[in-house]
Amino acid sequence: MSIVATASGVRLTLHVRPGAAQSAITGPHGDAIGVRVAAAPVDGNANRELIGYLAGCLGVRPRAIALVAGLGSRRKVIEGTWGDGRTATQLLQPG
């Protein structure tokens, strides 16, 4: 499951594709949410772009989002302290 409510907030499973022309949610990718990021996977740039992009989508500060798994992988798990799973589902629509 790509969006799970936890005791402290929400956990998202993402499939990230770095090096895109612009960052965007691409929709389901297996059991994850597909995300393109407009940064190369060099020196953590793609991870920083991902956190910043998701923070903008969710209307929170980047520090409210933590990358908890997949630091050097396309498959990432993030946790955040915003709303609930329903809020994340509504805000993270492809487009």
Side-chain angles (χ1 to χ4, degrees):
M1 183 91 158
S2 56
I3 301 176
V4 177
T6 66
S8 61
V10 178
R11 178 179 298 136
L12 305 175
T13 303
L14 307 172
H15 178 83
V16 179
R17 294 185 314 190
Q22 74 181 64
S23 297
I25 304 294
T26 59
H29 188 275
D31 65 343
I33 299 169
V35 183
R36 293 186 314 235
V37 292
V42 177
D43 297 328
N45 292 337
N47 288 333
R48 282 190 291 279
E49 171 67 18
L50 173 67
I51 297 298
Y53 174 70
L54 292 175
C57 289
L58 295 165
V60 299
R61 294 179 184 218
R63 69 175 181 233
I65 299 173
L67 179 58
V68 296
L71 187 63
S73 170
R74 286 184 178 216
R75 185 175 180 83
K76 301 183 184 300
V77 177
I78 65 163
E79 290 186 354
T81 56
W82 67 88
D84 57 19
R86 186 179 348 210
T87 301
T89 301
Q90 292 169 347
L91 294 173
L92 296 176
Q93 295 298 313

